[in-house]
Amino acid sequence: MNEDELTEALHDVMVRTTPPPPMDPAGALIRARRARKRRTAVVTTAAVAALVAGVGAAPAVLAHHNRSAGPMVAGLPSATGPVPTPKSSATVTSTATSTVTPTTAPTTRKSGDPWPEGQVDRTASAGPRADRAVALMRDVKASVPAGFSAPNLKYPDGRAMGWPQAQYASSDGEPDYWEYQALVPVQKGNRVGELVVQSTTPDGKPAVSPCKLAFWSERGACSIVDVGGKKVGVMTTNGKGSFDQVAAYRYPDGTVVIAAQSKKSGDETRPPLTQPIFTTDQLAALVTAPKFKISN
């Protein structure tokens, strides 16, 4: 292949590659709320990295809660407060011949500290943590009640509507902790809604009320539901939020499990469900299920 042929081939790849959709800061779970800010940051980082590396089409992902589709890599966005992104910790030799990236993170994070476990950003895209997120997604699908299904649906452009996430969530001055999240589209007939489950490892912060935990990315009316002696906060938005209901439970060791359901999905071309996926009591029981407790 001569130089002209190589140039033409590269140009052809660039033309056929679908660029990531633009971010919407005004709408940015989730997005205009605290979780949405972090998801926007992570998705933007992933998209830029893919372009710089010259990779063709980036892995399919979902920038969900502004009700529009967006890109996402294995692992992904988060649902707690905005987190400042530390500066790169890579150490480059004076001859620029090699880059050494530390593989451990401190017990309390500071700006400039390395990402843990050899990561290049917050997202664990491979390894045991990414595997836990995939297992979480599998467990979420298996929990969908009778009458509903959790198929591997796609957007009209071919991207997957569901995704798993594993993310290092610590901010500066905080001890290490992780968030594992899975979003799955839930179908009944030709109608589609969605279900999100997030499990956050102990973060060393004081316990708060169940209702405060339930005010995850939404606001609404909250009630306490007793599930076998466990106090679960269940917040209902009455159609005024991205989710219809959010349930949250904090285990004694500090692990927090949150589940959110919506009759709508991220694909506006699909009609929404006519009923919630779970009743209030069922959603409350869901967050106390041992299979969703991921404490490390």
Side-chain angles (χ1 to χ4, degrees):
M1 177 179 290
N2 59 36
E3 182 178 351
D4 291 337
E5 291 173 326
L6 177 60
T7 300
E8 182 177 354
L10 290 173
H11 180 267
D12 183 59
V13 170
M14 293 174 66
V15 169
R16 288 185 294 171
T17 298
T18 303
M23 296 296 99
D24 178 14
L29 108 137
I30 181 180
R31 216 152 237 204
R33 300 170 176 85
R34 7 177 236 185
R36 297 176 190 175
K37 295 179 182 179
R38 184 184 297 172
R39 174 166 298 172
T40 302
V42 173
V43 170
T44 302
T45 301
V48 171
L51 291 173
V52 171
V55 177
V61 261
L62 171 67
H64 147 66
H65 291 286
N66 63 349
R67 296 302 173 198
S68 63
M72 180 167 177
V73 294
L76 285 157
S78 168
T80 57
V83 178
T85 303
K87 300 177 182 178
S88 171
S89 59
T91 303
V92 182
T93 64
S94 59
T95 58
T97 57
S98 65
T99 300
V100 179
T101 303
T103 58
T104 59
T107 54
T108 301
R109 183 155 193 84
K110 303 185 298 296
S111 294
D113 285 336
W115 297 113
E117 301 173 22
Q119 293 175 202
V120 297
D121 56 27
R122 289 190 175 276
T123 300
S125 56
R129 297 191 185 278
D131 292 344
R132 287 173 197 154
V134 172
L136 174 63
M137 186 172 185
R138 182 172 59 247
D139 288 337
V140 173
K141 287 187 173 185
S143 300
V144 171
F148 295 88
S149 63
N152 296 320
L153 299 179
K154 295 183 178 181
Y155 288 100
D157 63 5
R159 291 174 299 109
M161 291 178 63
W163 44 259
Q165 154 192 318
Q167 179 167 295
Y168 179 68
S170 302
S171 298
D172 284 3
E174 293 183 340
D176 290 355
Y177 70 98
W178 291 78
E179 291 172 348
Y180 301 94
Q181 188 180 99
L183 181 149
V184 300
V186 178
Q187 187 170 23
K188 185 171 186 177
N190 69 331
R191 296 179 175 274
V192 180
E194 63 191 14
L195 176 65
V196 180
V197 174
Q198 176 177 292
S199 186
T200 303
T201 65
D203 58 12
K205 299 175 183 178
V208 298
S209 70
C211 277
K212 187 170 183 178
L213 288 177
F215 291 148
W216 180 44
S217 63
E218 310 289 350
R219 289 295 181 267
C222 183
S223 60
I224 304 297
V225 178
D226 186 285
V227 182
K230 298 175 180 178
K231 305 302 181 183
V232 177
V234 180
M235 188 272 300
T236 303
T237 67
N238 294 318
K240 297 180 180 179
S242 297
F243 295 111
D244 299 316
Q245 278 190 315
V246 178
Y249 175 67
R250 184 184 190 274
Y251 283 87
D253 70 353
T255 302
V256 173
V257 179
I258 295 173
Q261 63 178 353
S262 173
K263 288 181 284 189
K264 296 180 180 179
S265 72
D267 185 354
E268 295 182 351
T269 67
R270 299 176 186 268
L273 298 171
T274 58
Q275 67 183 93
I277 301 166
F278 294 100
T279 66
T280 296
D281 288 345
Q282 288 173 334
L283 190 67
L286 190 71
V287 296
T288 66
K291 62 184 176 182
F292 294 136
K293 183 178 186 288
I294 308 176
S295 300
N296 57 32

